[in-house]
């Protein structure tokens, strides 16, 4: 059982299935009705299928509704999916995406209250409370990470330091001087902080830091083990996306075995990414989410592209909210190299199995004489570089074999010195694809 004090909002984590389903169905019917009335795109698509809100009589009826996609937000930029007038909208955020215009998301006052509440529950699940001093190194601004986590931490009663990402020297000073007990950031930025803290000579032993709450990008269990070991903290995975609310969609609890989805606000399905068919619990597929309480932009059956599966066993923490496995990758993250499908997270997992590799890596794709080339650049410890050439070659070979074992493809591994690979202040860029550049053809 949970041994930390529980915030009153967290009691919703422990509803009986009947109580939860009643809340979910009532909210689903309300959100569908609301979208049908206020969002032309949803109404038109439902009408095309001969559907109206009266067709939603059970939770499984959601599967009849049409999907929504990121392109729907882009095509209706900036406010085309808003179901409330701007006078009701108190906050906007935007997600930059990789191409063109960002997607814009809005929140009513009630949406802000829900967001704050799910983030409070998230932090409570990580064992944090009003005694904690939190260094919030998620970026503040249009990105949802900083402000989303900020309001949750404040509502929990913790002391929040809104430091945002970057400025590593100042991060370390604050961590040392302000008695910081918990930090929020992307896992890749925290890796960078680990190195910088170790370089101070005093390391982590004089710090009060005990918990890290990490998310916004894929990371592996091997990366968690590295972080926990090097920093001597507990590292929790949190998940969310701007289109649904921001951080606060799902979180790990003290058991660190899967992420509890806040199902009273987000209805989840797992679908086959190719066919869109709903998959049975336990099968891996694409997470599809329906917001059950969002007012400003209700999202119905939103295709997240995030790949995971539902864990069916109950969690030892006592929460009745179902869990999903760590998001291993995005369906659109897949790179195809010489016809083989590869996800960056597979390469990360393979590399971290090999001793002396550091979790700083980058995958560089190029094309030579019409053939795809994959180079994996990996940083290794300084001591390793001082070692004999034969030892380096040996290490290179081990990594290459580990990658081949996992993805079935021979990659050219290049060992690089510390700090060669650019450090991120937010989400890490793992893949550089030069295959379309004329010079490499
Ligand atoms: O990254 C919201 C967030 C902020 C989540 C802080 C957690 C902590 P976006 O910028 O819209 O929102 O990016 C959302 O990031 O669809 C996933 O592909 C990825 N992602 C987020 N959290 C995780 C995670 C925020 N824990 C996209 N593991 C999502 C893997 C994650 N991927």
């Amino acid at each position: 059982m949970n041994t930390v004090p529980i915030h009153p909002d967290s009691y919703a984590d422990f509803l009986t299935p009947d109580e939860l389903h009643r809340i979910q169905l009532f909210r689903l019917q309300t959100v569908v009705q609301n979208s049908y009335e206020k969002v032309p795109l949803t109404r038109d698509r439902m009408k095309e299928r001969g559907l109206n809100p009266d067709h939603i009589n059970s939770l499984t009826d959601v599967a009849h509704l049409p999907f929504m996609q990121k392109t729907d937000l882009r095509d209706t930029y900036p406010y085309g999916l808003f179901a409330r007038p701007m006078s009701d909208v108190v906050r906007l955020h935007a997600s930059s995406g990789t191409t063109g215009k960002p997607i814009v998301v809005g929140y009513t006052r009630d949406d802000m209250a829900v967001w704050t509440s799910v983030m409070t529950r998230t932090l409570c699940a990580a064992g944090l409370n009003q005694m904690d001093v939190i260094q919030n190194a998620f970026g503040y601004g249009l990105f949802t990470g900083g402000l989303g986590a900020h309001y949750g931490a404040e509502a929990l009663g913790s002391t929040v330091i809104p430091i945002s990402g970057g400025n590593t020297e100042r991060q370390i000073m604050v961590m040392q001087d302000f008695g910081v007990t918990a930090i929020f950031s992307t896992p890749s930025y925290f890796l960078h902080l680990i190195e910088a803290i170790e370089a101070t000579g005093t390391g982590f032993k004089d710090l009060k830091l005990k918990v890290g709450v990490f998310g916004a990008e894929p990371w592996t269990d091997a990366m968690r083990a590295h972080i926990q070991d090097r920093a001597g903290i507990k590292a929790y995975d949190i998940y969310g996306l701007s289109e649904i609310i921001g951080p606060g969609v799902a979180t790990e609890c003290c058991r660190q075995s899967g992420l509890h989805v806040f199902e009273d606000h987000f209805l989840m399905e797992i679908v086959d990414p190719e066919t869109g068919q709903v998959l049975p619990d336990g099968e891996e597929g694409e997470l599809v989410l329906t917001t059950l309480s969002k007012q400003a932009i209700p999202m119905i059956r939103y295709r997240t592209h995030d790949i995971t599966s539902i864990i069916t066993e109950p969690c030892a923490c006592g929460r009745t909210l179902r869990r999903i496995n760590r998001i291993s990758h995005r369906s659109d993250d897949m790179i195809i190299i010489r016809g083989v499908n590869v996800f960056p997270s597979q390469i990360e997992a393979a590399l971290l199995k090999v001793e002396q590799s550091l979790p700083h890596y980058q995958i560089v794709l190029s094309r030579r004489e019409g053939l795809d080339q994959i180079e994996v650049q990996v940083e290794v410890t300084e001591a390793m570089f001082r070692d004999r050439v034969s030892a380096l070659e040996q290490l290179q070979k081990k990594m290459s074999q580990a990658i081949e074992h996992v993805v079935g493809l021979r990659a050219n591994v290049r060992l690089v010195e510390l700090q060669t690979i650019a450090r991120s202040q937010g989400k890490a860029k793992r893949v550089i694809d030069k295959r379309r550049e004329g010079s490499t053809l």
Side-chain angles (χ1 to χ4, degrees):
M1 279 304 288
N2 217 332
T3 50
V4 292
I6 279 208
H7 186 275
D9 283 12
S10 291
Y11 284 105
D13 298 2
F14 300 89
L15 298 173
T16 65
D18 272 358
E19 285 168 332
L20 178 64
H21 293 161
R22 259 201 305 276
I23 293 171
Q24 285 179 312
L25 182 58
F26 173 73
R27 289 184 173 166
L28 177 65
Q29 288 172 326
T30 310
V31 83
V32 171
Q33 178 75 42
N34 193 27
S35 298
Y36 191 81
E37 284 169 13
K38 306 280 175 35
V39 184
L41 178 134
T42 304
R43 184 174 50 246
D44 292 349
R45 286 188 185 163
M46 283 178 64
K47 278 187 172 170
E48 272 166 27
R49 296 177 171 222
L51 291 171
N52 68 54
D54 292 338
H55 288 106
I56 303 296
N57 297 306
S58 72
L59 287 175
T60 48
D61 285 340
V62 74
H64 303 305
L65 295 170
F67 289 119
M68 291 177 91
Q69 307 264 8
K70 195 177 234 150
T71 45
D72 295 331
L73 283 149
R74 292 230 167 89
D75 295 346
T76 55
Y77 173 87
Y79 302 142
L81 295 184
F82 280 38
R84 287 293 178 101
M86 288 309 280
S87 52
D88 288 353
V89 174
V90 298
R91 176 87 70 78
L92 294 177
H93 280 277
S95 160
S96 58
T98 42
T99 48
K101 298 269 193 204
I103 56 152
V104 178
V105 293
Y107 305 76
T108 63
R109 215 172 278 289
D110 285 351
D111 292 338
M112 289 304 304
V114 168
W115 193 12
T116 299
S117 174
V118 284
M119 270 315 295
T120 307
R121 291 160 67 182
T122 293
L123 303 178
C124 193
L128 302 181
N129 58 45
Q130 69 269 32
M131 301 309 288
D132 282 291
V133 178
I134 296 172
Q135 180 159 346
N136 186 8
F138 281 131
Y140 280 67
L142 290 179
F143 175 55
T144 52
L147 283 164
H150 181 109
Y151 279 79
E154 258 187 23
L156 187 62
S158 314
T159 308
V160 193
I161 308 167
I163 191 162
S164 197
N167 199 340
T168 302
E169 261 175 43
R170 193 175 53 177
Q171 299 273 358
I172 297 175
M173 181 201 73
V174 162
M175 203 182 286
Q176 288 167 338
D177 297 351
F178 294 10
V180 167
T181 59
I183 184 158
F184 305 163
S185 77
T186 57
S188 55
Y189 185 60
F190 190 68
L191 286 178
H192 175 48
L193 273 177
I194 289 181
E195 286 174 330
I197 291 168
E198 286 176 349
T200 61
T202 51
F204 281 87
K205 65 179 188 320
D206 296 333
L207 297 179
K208 294 202 173 129
L209 196 67
K210 59 179 171 54
V211 167
V213 171
F214 304 115
E217 63 184 3
W219 55 309
T220 55
D221 268 332
M223 181 86 89
R224 188 216 306 269
H226 173 90
I227 289 175
Q228 296 197 147
D229 178 48
R230 296 286 279 268
I233 61 172
K234 275 247 206 182
Y236 294 98
D237 190 12
I238 69 165
Y239 167 76
L241 61 166
S242 319
E243 299 90 314
I244 295 300
I245 205 157
V249 173
T251 190
E252 281 187 332
C253 63
C254 54
R255 300 286 165 165
Q256 295 177 304
S257 58
L259 293 91
H260 293 277
V261 175
F262 293 110
E263 293 182 282
D264 47 333
H265 293 294
F266 313 109
L267 188 69
M268 66 167 155
E269 299 166 86
I270 301 288
V271 306
D272 180 322
E274 303 286 325
T275 64
Q277 285 304 310
V278 177
L279 296 173
D281 283 2
E283 272 190 40
E284 188 177 85
E286 177 180 344
L287 180 65
V288 168
L289 292 167
T290 297
T291 59
L292 293 176
S293 47
K294 272 274 272 332
Q295 296 176 335
I297 314 187
M299 296 303 277
I300 293 177
R301 304 198 82 204
Y302 184 71
R303 300 284 298 254
T304 65
H305 287 287
D306 292 322
I307 303 294
T308 182
S309 51
I310 295 176
I311 300 172
T312 44
E313 300 84 55
C315 183
C317 78
R319 281 179 180 73
T320 47
L321 299 170
R322 285 178 305 162
R323 288 166 294 160
I324 51 172
N325 277 303
R326 180 190 277 288
I327 306 287
S328 57
H329 58 267
R330 290 179 57 82
S331 56
D332 49 6
D333 252 3
M334 189 172 76
I335 42 186
I336 303 178
I337 305 157
R338 290 179 235 141
V340 179
N341 300 345
V342 179
F343 292 100
S345 55
Q346 293 177 299
I347 295 198
E348 175 179 310
L351 290 175
L352 286 175
K353 281 195 187 129
V354 180
E355 251 178 76
Q356 284 175 305
S357 64
L358 295 174
H360 295 294
Y361 67 95
Q362 202 154 46
I363 301 162
V364 183
L365 304 174
S366 59
R367 185 164 290 158
R368 207 176 307 136
E369 290 163 5
L371 206 63
D372 290 344
Q373 309 291 327
I374 171 171
E375 179 177 274
V376 181
Q377 302 176 350
V378 195
E379 286 187 9
V380 288
T381 55
E382 243 167 89
M384 195 65 214
F385 261 99
R386 285 196 299 270
D387 229 323
R388 290 188 318 278
V389 174
S390 61
L392 278 177
E393 280 170 357
Q394 200 57 28
L395 182 61
Q396 220 161 5
K397 200 164 146 207
K398 265 197 207 160
M399 287 179 181
S400 190
Q401 280 169 345
I403 294 173
E404 191 171 357
H405 185 70
V406 175
V407 301
L409 194 85
R410 189 169 286 269
N412 174 22
V413 172
R414 186 148 77 87
L415 304 182
V416 294
E417 284 181 58
L418 275 180
Q419 302 296 335
T420 309
I421 293 166
R423 301 292 188 253
S424 80
Q425 297 188 357
K427 303 186 189 227
K429 186 167 169 52
R430 298 293 187 198
V431 182
I432 299 182
D433 195 343
K434 298 177 173 171
R435 286 179 293 183
R436 298 233 173 96
E437 288 173 16
S439 60
T440 58
L441 281 171

